[in-house]
């Protein structure tokens, strides 16, 4: 008997040797309602949209058996497809389910972070979309939602317990209408992560990542903080610094591209907006003899949608009714243009198309001065009939129009802030560049109407605005002015802090784009040429910028 027992013991299998597993996290962000690989403004195919991204996701899943698929927010707002659908939901004209949620269900998303634009159409529209989703909406720092947003997701993938903490930019109250966020509040993003990590101690995950709807608050190369950042808007860097136990942070909100950067050992990754990229993050874990998993490596790359990426036919089919409705809406004739107009040079010289925005804003806000950026330099308007498509292309965001009580000082400071878009000329003639500061997004370069001014690119930042005049006389700092601007500028975003405490005396309650359709639909024609109220100096800078822009394209 003793010999038999010894023999049995000798035949027991040895403990398992070391084991390695790679978990692949796939992520999108700022998809903004783009389903079709289609540019609604040019009516041309474009390398974007969840239908094409779904093909990249399927390929990655074939290559890696252990995957998670997440989205970092700003999902149900943005494209013409979503604008038309959400307007119908809000007006009670449709009971059709939310198209992005249908597509994401089909693709097998595991979770989605709540972005700031999820609230643009109000809590009823948000709830309608959320009911369709077969995956949780995450936000560790949003409080008061009913039902509450989950702080995190925990999934076991390939035998590894993975936790994903969701975080939402905390600047939403600065931008959103109070009735759209009634009952909600936002903790600082870092506090949301801290509380989620505290709760996760009970779950004992093997690896933790954060998915953040918020960007970097600084230049990633120099570490220099960007001026005018709203508190809590872009907290990815401080999250990575404060919580080194995170393996990675996948993030969005700022519509930039980051293939992989480290803060300490924390990997930071941002795919492009509009589903133009899918982020692929590899988390490699090892354990010895069945012991605890240890993170031994992280890496990342971005999978770009290409012009020849075939879209998933099932996504196209479920999106088709929504796509067709958007196309019908955009094809509606609105007005006439007396000339062929282009926005190509609109960020370095006055153009009739930016004046088109100003004309609408000054009319509805009854303003003396108007501020607006050129959001889409690719806009071309033919002579003759103008449809809703051209006007939508000119104002691509669902911003509302505000009027604030301001003064000449605010106007000057706002123009100086806008002028940060340009670099100081490397030589007095400005005959060579580069002259665009890529750290400042073009959609944050505002131009003004109602005043005349020059921006001198031979001078340093903060001292560039000259010959600033109002109604023929130099503009005094104490000159009272009623100023038209969008809700994001009124909140002080992108360095426009001079407007943050200004008294809001009127709100449109409607998107600027809709006001443009109404205004020009009332038998008005577009301006045929700019009024030339502003210019860059010296003149050579304009041609240098034109060459720089053409090269970049």
């Amino acid at each position: 008997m003793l010999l038999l027992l010894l023999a049995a013991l000798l035949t027991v299998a040895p403990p398992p040797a070391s084991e390695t597993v790679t978990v692949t996290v796939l992520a999108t962000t700022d998809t903004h309602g783009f389903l079709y690989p289609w540019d609604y403004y040019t009516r041309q195919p474009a390398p974007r949209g969840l239908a094409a991204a779904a093909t990249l996701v399927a390929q990655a899943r074939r290559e890696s058996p252990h995957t998670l698929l997440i989205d970092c927010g700003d999902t149900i707002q943005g494209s013409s497809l979503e604008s038309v659908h959400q307007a119908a939901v809000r007006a009670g004209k449709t009971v059709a389910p939310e198209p992005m949620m249908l597509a994401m269900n089909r693709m097998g998303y595991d979770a989605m972070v709540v972005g700031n634009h999820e609230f643009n159409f109000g809590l009823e529209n948000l709830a309608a979309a959320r009911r369709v989703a077969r995956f949780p909406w995450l936000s560790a720092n949003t409080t008061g939602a009913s039902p509450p947003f989950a702080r995190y997701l925990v999934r076991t993938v390939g035998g590894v317990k993975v936790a994903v903490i969701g975080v939402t930019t905390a600047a939403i109250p600065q931008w959103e209408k109070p009735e759209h966020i009634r009952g909600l509040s936002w903790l600082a993003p870092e506090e949301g992560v801290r509380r989620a990590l505290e709760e996760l101690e009970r779950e004992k995950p093997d690896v933790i990542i954060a998915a953040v709807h918020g960007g970097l608050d600084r230049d990633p190369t120099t570490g220099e903080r960007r001026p005018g950042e709203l508190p809590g808007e872009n907290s990815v860097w401080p999250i990575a610094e404060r919580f080194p136990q995170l393996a990675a942070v996948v993030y969005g909100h700022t519509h930039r591209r980051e293939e992989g950067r480290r803060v300490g050992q924390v990997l930071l990754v941002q795919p492009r907006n509009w589903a133009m990229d899918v982020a692929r993050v590899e988390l490699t874990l090892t354990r010895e003899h069945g012991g605890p998993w240890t993170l031994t490596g992280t890496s990342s790359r971005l999978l770009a949608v290409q012009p020849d990426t075939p879209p998933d036919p099932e996504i196209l089919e479920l999106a088709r009714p929504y796509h067709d409705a958007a196309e019908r809406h955009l094809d509606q004739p609105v007005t006439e243009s007396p000339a062929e107009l282009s926005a190509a040079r609109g960020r370095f010289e006055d153009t009739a198309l930016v004046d088109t925005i100003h004309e609408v804003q000054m009319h509805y806000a009854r303003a003396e001065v108007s501020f607006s950026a050129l959001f889409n330099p690719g806009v071309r308007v033919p002579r003759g009939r103008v449809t809703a498509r051209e006007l939508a292309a000119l104002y691509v965001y669902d911003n509302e129009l505000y009027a604030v009580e301001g003064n000449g000082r605010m106007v000057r400071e706002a123009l100086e802030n806008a002028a940060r878009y340009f670099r100081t000329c490397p030589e007095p003639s400005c005959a060579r560049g580069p002259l665009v500061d890529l750290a400042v997004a073009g959609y944050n370069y505002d131009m003004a109407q109602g005043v005349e001014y020059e921006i001198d690119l031979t001078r340093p930042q903060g001292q560039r605005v000259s010959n600033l005049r109002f109604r023929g006389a130099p503009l005094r700092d104490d000159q009272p002015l009623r100023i038209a601007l969008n809700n994001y500028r009124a909140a002080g975003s992108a360095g426009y802090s001079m407007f943050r405490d200004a008294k809001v005396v009127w709100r449109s309650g409607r998107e600027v784009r809709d006001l443009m359709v109404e205004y020009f639909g009332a038998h008005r024609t577009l301006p045929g040429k700019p009024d030339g109220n502003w210019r860059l100096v010296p003149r050579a800078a304009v041609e240098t910028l034109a060459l720089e822009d053409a090269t970049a394209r």
Side-chain angles (χ1 to χ4, degrees), residues 4-221:
L4 290 173
L5 181 58
L6 287 171
L9 290 173
L10 290 173
T11 59
V12 172
S18 63
E19 183 181 1
T20 298
V21 170
T22 297
V23 175
T24 300
V25 179
L26 304 172
T28 53
T29 191
D30 298 270
T31 52
H32 282 291
F34 281 94
L35 282 170
Y36 266 54
W38 187 252
D39 185 330
Y40 284 99
Y41 308 133
T42 64
R43 207 171 187 172
Q44 296 291 326
R48 63 179 64 152
L50 275 186
T55 300
L56 302 182
V57 168
Q59 176 64 33
R61 282 173 167 157
R62 287 192 293 270
E63 297 169 356
S64 177
H66 310 306
T67 61
L68 281 172
L69 177 59
I70 60 176
D71 183 81
C72 294
D74 276 6
T75 306
I76 63 170
Q77 172 275 345
S79 71
S80 296
L81 179 150
E82 272 292 355
S83 294
V84 170
H85 171 72
Q86 294 291 350
V89 171
R90 189 162 50 182
K93 294 180 179 179
T94 183
V95 292
E98 214 295 317
M100 291 296 285
M101 297 301 102
L102 290 179
M104 292 169 72
N105 289 342
R106 169 66 183 79
M107 291 172 64
Y109 272 79
D110 293 283
M112 177 191 118
V113 178
V114 181
N116 54 291
H117 283 293
E118 263 63 81
F119 299 93
N120 282 176
F121 303 105
L123 293 176
E124 289 186 8
N125 283 43
L126 181 150
R130 195 178 171 192
R131 284 193 296 269
V132 178
R134 295 202 297 262
F135 48 84
W137 286 25
L138 307 180
S139 184
N141 64 315
T142 303
T143 64
S146 181
F149 298 121
R151 293 185 188 273
Y152 51 79
L153 169 79
V154 177
R155 287 274 192 276
T156 298
V157 184
V160 175
K161 186 180 277 191
V162 183
V164 181
I165 299 172
V167 184
T168 302
T169 178
I172 291 172
Q174 302 292 320
W175 304 318
E176 198 54 74
K177 290 193 290 188
E179 60 267 31
H180 284 181
I181 54 173
R182 186 167 288 118
L184 303 181
S185 59
W186 281 267
L187 303 170
E190 299 94 317
E191 176 62 13
V193 174
R194 187 195 67 78
R195 294 188 184 191
L197 286 170
E198 197 172 76
E199 290 182 18
L200 280 168
E201 289 178 1
R202 298 191 297 271
E203 298 273 0
K204 297 187 177 354
D206 299 303
V207 63
I208 307 172
I209 69 169
V212 180
H213 190 81
L216 302 182
D217 62 349
R218 63 199 71 190
D219 184 288
T221 303

Side-chain angles (χ1 to χ4, degrees), residues 318-522:
L318 67 84
R320 190 175 305 281
Y322 304 91
H323 172 77
D324 291 346
E327 285 290 299
R328 288 193 298 271
H329 170 79
L330 291 169
D331 282 338
Q332 295 178 85
V334 176
T335 185
E336 300 279 327
S337 175
E340 184 175 339
L341 304 175
S342 169
R345 296 167 69 98
R347 286 180 179 160
F348 40 89
E349 65 183 15
D350 196 14
T351 56
L353 286 174
V354 177
D355 286 354
T356 295
I357 300 172
H358 288 310
E359 184 176 330
V360 172
Q361 293 192 161
M362 294 180 80
H363 170 81
Y364 283 99
R366 293 181 290 111
E368 295 153 302
V369 176
S370 168
F371 278 87
S372 179
L374 171 61
F375 298 112
N376 183 3
V379 176
R380 306 290 185 273
V381 173
R383 181 177 180 177
R385 190 185 77 158
V386 177
T387 67
R389 190 183 306 274
E390 283 85 23
L391 296 180
L394 186 57
Y395 208 103
V396 299
Y397 296 110
D398 293 331
N399 296 334
E400 292 191 10
L401 181 63
Y402 283 15
V404 302
E405 285 185 356
N407 55 38
R409 177 189 59 78
M410 286 184 186
V411 170
R412 182 184 297 277
E413 290 179 355
L415 291 173
E416 291 286 5
N417 180 68
R420 294 186 302 109
Y421 177 66
F422 303 106
R423 296 175 182 269
T424 301
C425 294
E427 57 185 30
S429 69
C430 292
R432 63 182 179 89
L435 295 184
V436 172
D437 188 342
L438 297 179
V440 179
Y443 54 74
N444 287 328
Y445 169 57
D446 276 15
M447 292 150 275
Q449 185 71 305
V451 292
E452 300 84 44
Y453 62 98
E454 295 177 344
I455 296 177
D456 188 344
L457 299 191
T458 67
R459 300 193 57 79
Q461 287 187 11
Q463 303 175 34
R464 291 175 170 170
V465 177
S466 59
N467 297 322
L468 179 56
R469 302 175 71 82
F470 174 65
R471 294 179 178 172
L475 180 61
R476 307 187 322 271
D477 278 0
D478 63 352
Q479 170 69 51
L481 293 169
R482 185 178 173 108
I483 301 172
L485 69 177
N486 68 44
N487 54 308
Y488 283 87
R489 291 295 182 262
S493 61
Y496 291 89
S497 56
M498 67 293 302
F499 296 130
R500 189 175 300 161
D501 297 321
K503 182 180 179 181
V504 177
V505 294
W506 177 82
R507 294 178 172 86
S508 66
R510 299 163 63 196
E511 286 81 13
V512 175
R513 184 173 53 237
D514 292 342
L515 298 178
M516 292 173 66
V517 171
E518 178 180 90
Y519 178 84
F520 287 108

Side-chain angles (χ1 to χ4, degrees), residues 543-553:
E543 299 312 316
T544 301
L545 283 159
L547 179 61
E548 188 176 329
D549 182 68
T551 302
R553 289 171 188 270

